[in-house]
Amino acid sequence: MSATVSWWQTGIIYQLYPRSFQDSNGDGVGDLAGIIARLDYLHSLNIDVLWLSPIYPSPMHDFGYDVADYCAIHPLFGTMADFDRLLAEVHARGMRLLLDLVPNHSSHLHPWFIASRSARDNPQRGWYIWRDPAPGGGPPNNWLSHFGGPAWTFDEGCGQYYMHQFLPQQPELNYRHPEVLPAILDCMRFWLDKGVDGFRVDVIGMLLKDPLFRDEPANPAWNGVREYQSLLHVHTANLPEVHGLIRRMRAFLDRWHDRLMIGELYLPNAELVRYYGDEQGAECHLPFNFQLIRAPWDAALIRRLVDDYEAVLPQHAWPNWVLGNHDQKRLATRVGSRQARVATMLLLTLRGTPTCYYGDEIGMLDVPLPLELMQDPPALRQPEIAHLVGRDPQRTPMQWDASANAGFAAAGVRSWLPLAADCRTRNVANQSVDPHSPLAFFRAMTALRRAEPALAGGSFRSLDAGQPDVFAYLRGDPGSALLVLLNFGAERRRLALPLSGDAADLLLSTAMTSPRRLSLEQLVLAPDEGMVLRLPATSRLSRTVASGGRR
């Protein structure tokens, strides 16, 4: 690793879903003042970067991902003065703040779309994607929406269809029009001038579409469940020309000192790494790597995914890892509460920038909801598969204490989504006084990552552990060599590593046992246990770290 590192390389990113973090005014929805009230808690987690899901004015058809004004704050969340205070308070604590940028589509109520829709000869008509009906009538082609149905809605007023890959209330901007990107850059300028530390850019690979509007081919591997997956989306995502557009966004961002751009992308390695950029220009600092969030929880598979990703990263690229977000089932729901600690240790000890999701530090679970309580548009538009596509279960309110509404909102207030049934026991207050709780472990793990340069920026090398359900790897820098051991199974495992007879120092285990010396030749992992050990400088593995490994 270079001697010069940026805050986004060594730091831990924490995603906040503002609607669900803390309600301060009794309307049942989280807000900016609520986040400010909880900043000391966030600081206590040893995290470095807060990323906020959208807080812009919006009719909330997709809960803020339908933006009606890119340069303002939705009254639901507070005022611009509240935002300015939040930013100042975050910076005063030595943390950074990222905003969600949603440039692929706006709200149908955005002034740009209102103008575009008003007449075919309006100067902003071409800012959005309009097409005549197919020769026989109906949508211009077979493109589909992620949320079900065609990606086209007919506008009676002008006799054309407009495109939307999500809701009809989210029309797609046309980046082939020369005025669109400058308009979005101006919106970025507004927030960068305020001091925002960067952006997570929503669906960044979808900004350009096929100019010939060709039908997309059928997906031969479709399982017949989710309509969107019935096609291969070769004409609506990841077009080669999109990289030039992203380079222009990055070059603009780089006019401000040391700001960060993260791209949302669900792609295999070979395509994902292209979004770092090349000799033609820089692109995303961090194209989100979602491989672990979607993978079956199997040690051999996880090791292969990590090794394969490390192997294809360009020399200039910095890795990143994600295990939870607002679109995927919660970590503890996917892997189980016992394995959630192993997963947390994995996330915070791999080489690269980790992104955590609010509530995962206390082991929050998805909250099962009947259809009548769901609000997420994919579920409501596709009720037959609501349990597969609905995202409400992982967006429920933060569980702070055992009071009414778990401290998220005042007693008697109806929260925007129901709270978990276990909120009176699984909450921050209870876990803050339990030295063996998930929260205590999370804090210990983040503190260890901060304290150990080998974890924050050192080399990585995976090892054969001699057990099929154990993932072992080395992290090191010139001054230290650490061994990470993760038991993905429910059985006790004796390891078969190339270890000398020396002892190693146990720095942290998922069981929160006291630090102690362990024999390297007799290492045993308990079921669902992970360990971080410091190797003696004389061990053969320490010398291996010093001599190489992915950096």
Side-chain angles (χ1 to χ4, degrees):
M1 183 175 179
S2 167
T4 303
V5 296
S6 293
W7 54 269
W8 52 267
Q9 292 177 287
T10 58
I12 299 169
I13 300 173
Y14 184 98
Q15 182 192 359
L16 274 171
Y17 197 69
R19 294 182 68 92
S20 294
F21 201 64
Q22 179 66 63
D23 172 26
S24 73
N25 60 5
D27 63 0
V29 177
D31 47 49
L32 298 179
I35 297 172
I36 293 170
R38 297 294 187 179
L39 282 178
D40 286 341
Y41 165 77
L42 293 167
H43 190 250
S44 79
L45 298 178
N46 305 307
I47 59 174
D48 305 277
V49 187
L50 302 183
W51 154 32
L52 305 185
S53 292
I55 53 175
Y56 313 107
S58 164
M60 293 292 171
H61 289 285
D62 190 20
F63 298 105
Y65 285 93
D66 48 326
V67 179
D69 184 344
Y70 287 98
C71 298
I73 302 295
H74 195 303
L76 189 69
F77 299 119
T79 65
M80 189 61 75
D82 292 326
F83 177 81
D84 291 341
R85 182 182 164 214
L86 172 63
L87 183 61
E89 295 279 359
V90 167
H91 286 165
R93 289 166 174 81
M95 298 189 293
R96 310 277 182 152
L97 188 69
L98 305 180
L99 291 184
D100 237 308
L101 181 67
V102 190
N104 179 68
H105 48 267
S106 73
S107 165
H108 69 306
L109 298 183
H110 196 291
W112 297 344
F113 186 69
I114 291 173
S116 179
R117 194 176 201 171
S118 66
R120 290 200 185 197
D121 60 356
N122 186 280
Q124 289 184 294
R125 179 69 172 184
W127 284 37
Y128 292 82
I129 299 174
W130 294 92
R131 298 292 288 173
D132 289 330
N141 59 27
N142 71 344
W143 295 356
L144 294 173
S145 162
H146 281 265
F147 291 173
W152 298 97
T153 288
F154 187 68
D155 185 80
E156 296 284 352
C158 67
Q160 285 188 311
Y161 284 85
Y162 66 87
M163 185 195 173
H164 54 86
Q165 290 190 81
F166 296 92
L167 292 175
Q169 294 89 353
Q170 294 170 290
E172 306 248 334
L173 285 155
N174 177 19
Y175 280 88
R176 297 188 186 277
H177 191 288
E179 296 175 0
V180 171
L181 179 60
I184 288 293
L185 297 180
D186 277 343
C187 299
M188 293 171 61
R189 184 198 313 275
F190 175 84
W191 297 106
L192 291 166
D193 282 347
K194 275 187 169 290
V196 165
D197 297 290
F199 301 96
R200 173 267 192 188
V201 186
D202 190 58
V203 297
I204 197 168
M206 295 168 58
L207 297 180
L208 286 177
K209 291 81 181 173
D210 176 31
L212 302 179
F213 295 92
R214 290 168 287 186
D215 279 355
E216 296 197 302
N219 179 4
W222 184 43
N223 62 9
V225 177
R226 189 179 171 199
E227 182 188 25
Y228 181 76
Q229 295 172 342
S230 67
L231 299 177
L232 298 174
H233 302 288
V234 297
H235 297 315
T236 53
N238 304 306
L239 272 65
E241 312 98 284
V242 80
H243 294 280
L245 194 66
I246 297 170
R247 289 184 203 117
R248 292 174 63 190
M249 293 178 71
R250 171 64 184 275
F252 181 81
L253 182 88
D254 285 347
R255 297 180 191 175
W256 285 260
H257 177 66
D258 209 16
R259 308 297 172 94
L260 173 65
M261 189 164 83
I262 302 173
E264 185 200 20
L265 297 149
Y266 285 85
L267 291 172
N269 285 328
E271 296 176 60
L272 180 70
V273 298
R274 294 180 60 204
Y275 284 84
Y276 282 103
D278 52 28
E279 64 277 1
Q280 302 300 316
E283 296 183 34
C284 300
H285 294 89
L286 300 175
F288 260 153
N289 171 12
F290 291 124
Q291 294 181 68
L292 300 186
I293 207 173
R294 308 180 90 179
W297 197 242
D298 173 82
L301 173 61
I302 297 299
R303 178 189 177 184
R304 179 173 62 79
L305 290 174
V306 173
D307 283 346
D308 289 351
Y309 176 63
E310 284 277 8
V312 300
L313 275 172
Q315 275 300 117
H316 68 274
W318 183 247
N320 73 97
W321 302 97
V322 185
L323 275 175
N325 69 23
H326 62 297
D327 287 332
Q328 306 295 331
K329 292 184 180 299
R330 279 197 173 272
L331 175 60
T333 295
R334 296 197 317 273
V335 306
S337 292
R338 292 177 64 88
Q339 277 291 308
R341 294 193 187 209
V342 174
T344 297
M345 183 171 278
L346 172 75
L347 177 68
L348 294 171
T349 57
L350 286 174
R351 190 178 80 99
T353 303
T355 297
C356 307
Y357 185 51
Y358 85 96
D360 281 354
E361 71 270 20
I362 61 171
M364 281 178 62
L365 299 162
D366 284 3
V367 177
L369 297 174
L371 186 61
E372 59 269 21
L373 293 180
M374 291 186 181
Q375 300 189 41
D376 196 29
L380 300 182
R381 286 168 62 89
Q382 304 165 94
E384 68 284 358
I385 56 170
H387 63 293
L388 296 177
V389 299
R391 301 166 296 178
D392 293 321
Q394 60 263 30
R395 299 176 175 183
T396 56
M398 182 67 176
Q399 297 160 205
W400 293 106
D401 55 43
S403 67
N405 281 321
F408 164 72
V413 172
R414 182 174 180 177
S415 59
W416 81 281
L417 281 176
L419 285 128
D422 67 356
C423 64
R424 290 186 178 275
T425 55
R426 190 189 303 274
N427 59 61
V428 170
N430 285 354
Q431 293 191 17
S432 291
V433 296
D434 177 359
H436 299 288
S437 68
L439 178 58
F441 171 71
F442 184 88
R443 284 173 167 153
M445 190 65 250
T446 54
L448 180 65
R449 189 178 190 278
R450 274 192 171 180
E452 294 290 341
L455 292 179
S459 63
F460 167 87
R461 181 170 179 172
S462 65
L463 299 171
D464 291 322
Q467 294 288 356
D469 47 9
V470 174
F471 182 19
Y473 48 94
L474 295 170
R475 297 298 315 280
D477 69 355
S480 180
L482 305 182
L483 174 63
V484 182
L485 304 170
L486 304 172
N487 186 356
F488 282 56
E491 296 185 14
R492 189 170 174 268
R493 295 298 186 194
R494 181 177 294 277
L495 304 185
L497 289 163
L499 301 170
S500 71
D502 295 324
D505 292 318
L506 174 65
L507 301 181
L508 183 64
S509 76
T510 51
M512 303 288 286
T513 54
S514 300
R516 61 189 188 278
R517 300 278 284 176
L518 294 176
S519 168
L520 292 175
E521 290 183 327
Q522 300 177 31
L523 274 177
V524 175
L525 287 177
D528 308 297
E529 184 176 28
M531 292 181 177
V532 180
L533 301 108
R534 188 187 310 283
L535 296 173
T538 56
S539 75
R540 184 155 60 92
L541 286 179
S542 289
R543 293 194 297 272
T544 298
V545 171
S547 65
R550 178 72 184 187
R551 302 189 70 82

